[in-house]
Amino acid sequence: MVSRRNFLSGAGAITAAASAASVSRVAMAALPEPVLQSKPDTMPPLVPSTGRPYNPVVTLNGWTLPWRMNQGVKELHLVAEPVVREMAPGFKAHLWGYNGQSPGPTIEVVEGDRVRIFVTNKLGELHSVHWHGQRLPNGMDGVTGLTQPGIPPGKTFVYEFVARRPGTFMYHPHADEMVQMAMGMYGLWITHPKAKHPLIDEVDRDFCFLLNAFDIDPGSYTPKVMTMLDFNLWAWNSRIFPGIDSLNVRHRDKVRLRIGNLTMTNHPIHLHGHEFLVTGTDGGPTPKGTRWYEVTTDIAVGQMRQLEFIADEEGDWAFHCHKSHHTMNAMGHGVPTMIGVDHSQVARQITNLIPDYMVMGERGMKDMTEMEMPLPDNTAAMMTGQGPFGAVGMGGMFSVLKVRKEQKRGDYADPGWFKHPPGTVAYEFAGALPDPARFQSEGGGSMPSLARPARDVEVKARKPAGGHGTH
């Protein structure tokens, strides 16, 4: 974490900021230092040293923005700027974000706090910040042209309001939104309850992260901002597996997961080995009578879900989006399906002309995890990650919940791979296998057929070569 003293200089920036909100010139005499973070690691929780106490969150592969107290007001400084984000080891993207990162730092406050956020625009175009889900004065809502003028490049604006209700919220631009969000500009906002709340339980571990997506061509660094649906990198907090940190908890901990979705599609988030309750949404905590146990919950675009469970099963449990294409990296969408096709003859002929030619998809895509295929510079492998038993064969929106009895309270360090008790791992059967008894009836259908073909026909479907335009 780096503090940049003298990040802003000159009376012009201060005057512009003072004119943007009802802040006295005395309060504006010194801006809060912009605190920056370049490391993609999951940072420890930021325990509050000033203001009202609360149990802080842990942002997956992220951090919480420090603040200062100024005459009872909690002041923070966001800097909108180009950033370089390591999405996975060896793979970096040129994005836009806040304070050196995409997503920007998590903001944590307490219900009833008066908050003053200084936003400095270091982009080359107008900017504004919308405080997604907050109750606030209309002029602080952050919609360029509607509730405020855009923040010009090099200027600082001030947002000030009271955090009126507890819950999990987000912040993101409302200026050139399609481009700026496609480039990675957003962050989480957590408002903790000021006192014991009948619908908000205390938890031992409180994790949060955003779902986001990018379209970055192999070998490139910058996302394509015009993509609507065919993204090739599905991320949690702008990280892709195996770059996403594991969630490390103590056995029997009560765990809360706060997940916000700022992609262009929904995500069914699935946890192995446990059931959870959906205890909160963007609108606040859910009534207890509406809660039921799930192992998968769907999070739509612009929504947030808060999940809670008791980590009472030891092990390394998969945690991922259940859309299978969202657990892959650097996918192409024009690859034909070649399962069952014998390439042996044609492969020998092509290899004589192209020595590096590789057969893809003859037996499914899992073989890709075993191949050492050369990739363009700055490209993430499509399926990667090594587990204790070999290649995991996953990418994108995938991580691991690690539950351990020996994990100490407040310890978020990775405990390593789970040591399975004897006899609790699936194993190969070495005995003789009898011939399977097959059920012979194909079924009669709902009613007799009017005309049955003279002989059985096996359907062979072939898609048009011209794509969707020939439908």
Side-chain angles (χ1 to χ4, degrees):
M1 231 178 250
V2 179
S3 294
R4 287 188 187 169
R5 295 183 183 274
N6 304 319
F7 185 82
L8 296 172
S9 60
I14 293 178
T15 302
S19 65
S22 57
V23 184
S24 72
R25 292 185 179 274
V26 174
M28 290 291 296
L31 291 169
E33 292 182 10
V35 182
L36 309 181
Q37 174 65 267
S38 59
K39 295 173 61 177
D41 304 339
T42 300
M43 294 298 166
L46 182 61
V47 178
S49 58
T50 58
R52 287 181 272 199
Y54 57 83
N55 183 35
V57 300
V58 170
T59 305
L60 196 62
N61 290 104
W63 56 298
T64 290
L65 184 64
W67 65 88
R68 75 176 183 192
M69 297 302 297
N70 185 358
Q71 299 180 0
V73 179
K74 188 170 283 187
E75 293 185 335
L76 308 98
H77 193 167
L78 282 176
V79 179
E81 59 181 353
V83 303
V84 176
R85 176 64 162 176
E86 183 190 74
M87 299 190 70
F91 173 50
K92 295 182 179 180
H94 293 177
L95 307 178
W96 292 356
Y98 298 93
N99 296 58
Q101 284 283 10
S102 166
T106 297
I107 295 175
E108 289 188 77
V109 301
V110 179
E111 178 187 11
D113 278 353
R114 176 166 284 276
V115 184
R116 183 179 297 141
I117 308 110
F118 298 83
V119 178
T120 298
N121 181 10
K122 304 294 286 186
L123 304 173
E125 64 172 357
L126 293 176
H127 185 64
S128 68
V129 181
H130 168 58
W131 313 99
H132 186 112
Q134 298 281 0
R135 293 291 190 99
L136 38 59
N138 184 240
M140 296 292 173
D141 195 44
V143 182
T144 297
L146 178 65
T147 66
Q148 67 164 84
I151 307 173
K155 301 297 183 179
T156 298
F157 275 35
V158 183
Y159 298 86
E160 185 170 341
F161 53 90
V162 174
R164 290 164 53 182
R165 59 192 183 95
T168 306
F169 310 102
M170 299 178 276
Y171 63 88
H172 61 78
H174 243 300
D176 195 10
E177 183 174 339
M178 182 189 76
V179 170
Q180 294 184 15
M181 289 183 67
M183 290 292 290
M185 302 199 78
Y186 20 65
L188 282 162
W189 176 300
I190 312 297
T191 301
H192 298 278
K194 63 183 177 182
K196 189 171 178 61
H197 194 289
L199 298 177
I200 303 176
D201 293 344
E202 293 183 3
V203 295
D204 300 294
R205 313 249 172 174
D206 200 338
F207 295 96
C208 62
F209 59 93
L210 283 171
L211 311 176
N212 51 342
F214 301 94
D215 186 9
I216 303 177
D217 284 335
S220 301
Y221 290 83
T222 305
K224 294 190 286 186
V225 299
M226 300 301 289
T227 299
M228 291 183 64
L229 292 175
D230 286 340
F231 297 93
N232 63 3
L233 294 168
W234 299 94
W236 290 356
N237 267 11
S238 300
R239 294 279 284 185
I240 55 176
F241 184 77
I244 301 174
D245 285 347
S246 56
L247 292 80
N248 310 313
V249 309
R250 186 178 62 161
H251 184 247
R252 299 293 305 172
D253 270 353
K254 184 162 189 175
V255 181
R256 176 180 292 135
L257 306 173
R258 306 171 188 252
I259 308 169
N261 180 9
L262 287 176
T263 73
M264 299 282 277
T265 188
N266 64 305
H267 297 279
I269 299 299
H270 174 56
L271 176 63
H272 292 211
H274 297 80
E275 307 86 30
F276 56 75
L277 293 171
V278 177
T279 60
T281 71
D282 317 62
T286 56
K288 291 192 174 180
T290 67
R291 302 175 185 178
W292 60 84
Y293 285 99
E294 300 263 19
V295 298
T296 305
T297 190
D298 198 44
I299 308 177
V301 180
Q303 286 187 339
M304 170 269 154
R305 289 293 180 267
Q306 178 178 290
L307 320 178
E308 292 178 19
F309 63 96
I310 302 296
D312 54 3
E313 295 287 348
E314 278 199 289
D316 295 334
W317 300 105
F319 178 43
H320 58 94
C321 176
H322 220 294
K323 288 187 174 181
S324 57
H325 282 207
H326 296 182
T327 53
M328 308 271 279
N329 295 330
M331 285 189 61
H333 296 90
V335 179
T337 298
M338 304 298 288
I339 292 174
V341 177
D342 183 1
H343 292 75
S344 56
Q345 295 297 325
V346 69
R348 277 194 289 270
Q349 297 175 36
I350 295 176
T351 303
N352 290 331
L353 300 174
I354 309 172
D356 292 334
Y357 174 75
M358 299 181 70
V359 174
M360 295 180 61
E362 183 178 340
R363 291 170 298 277
M365 300 304 290
K366 184 62 169 65
D367 288 350
M368 298 297 294
T369 63
E370 311 295 339
M371 295 179 181
E372 296 183 3
M373 185 170 63
L375 296 171
D377 290 342
N378 198 56
T379 300
M382 187 166 64
M383 293 185 289
T384 185
Q386 286 291 320
F389 299 101
V392 176
M394 289 286 187
M397 294 178 163
F398 183 91
S399 185
V400 179
L401 172 73
K402 296 190 173 184
V403 183
R404 299 289 190 276
K405 287 181 179 177
E406 62 272 16
Q407 198 87 358
K408 292 181 171 55
R409 176 182 287 275
D411 180 9
Y412 290 88
D414 187 342
W417 298 117
F418 182 58
K419 296 179 177 58
H420 299 269
T424 63
V425 177
Y427 59 93
E428 180 182 356
F429 177 69
L433 293 175
D435 290 335
R438 300 192 182 277
F439 188 62
Q440 296 299 318
S441 174
E442 291 82 14
S446 59
M447 60 187 67
S449 174
L450 181 63
R452 183 176 175 85
R455 58 186 179 86
D456 291 340
V457 177
E458 182 177 343
V459 176
K460 295 182 179 180
R462 183 168 65 87
K463 292 182 179 180
H468 295 287
T470 59
H471 287 188

